[in-house]
Amino acid sequence: MTSDTTTAARLVARATQTPTAEARRIMALSLIDWASVAIAGLDTSVARAVRAFVLEEAGAPSALLVGGGRAPARAAALVNGTISHALDYD
């Protein structure tokens, strides 16, 4: 096996394992952190600007936006990422 194949095989094996209780706890805290800063960042000027920009663009609205609405997946990732980092200082 090549180095890339070995690495890929290890990643696949790891991804199919059930997360430990500690990993699940950290995932839950991370989700709560993300949701909290996303809600807080909804009304920031950068969030409003990016949301307005994305909603003017065309495309299949296949993904949800934080705060409501839908947009193409890549555009939704831009909006949701911007909103959730607007007030995230860690």
Side-chain angles (χ1 to χ4, degrees):
M1 275 193 210
T2 68
S3 176
D4 289 342
T5 305
T6 303
T7 301
R10 270 191 262 148
L11 287 172
V12 168
R14 183 84 165 170
T16 58
Q17 294 175 351
T18 301
T20 64
E22 178 65 9
R24 288 192 305 275
R25 186 183 75 77
I26 291 169
M27 285 186 268
L29 288 174
S30 297
L31 182 58
I32 290 167
D33 176 65
W34 174 83
S36 299
V37 294
I39 291 167
L42 272 173
D43 199 37
T44 60
S45 59
V46 68
R48 287 190 305 272
V50 171
R51 180 184 286 274
F53 170 75
V54 162
L55 292 177
E56 289 177 8
E57 297 293 309
S62 58
L64 296 173
L65 299 174
V66 172
R70 296 180 79 82
R74 290 185 347 184
L78 174 64
V79 170
N80 295 339
T82 300
I83 288 171
S84 65
H85 285 85
L87 297 174
D88 190 13
Y89 300 112
D90 62 345

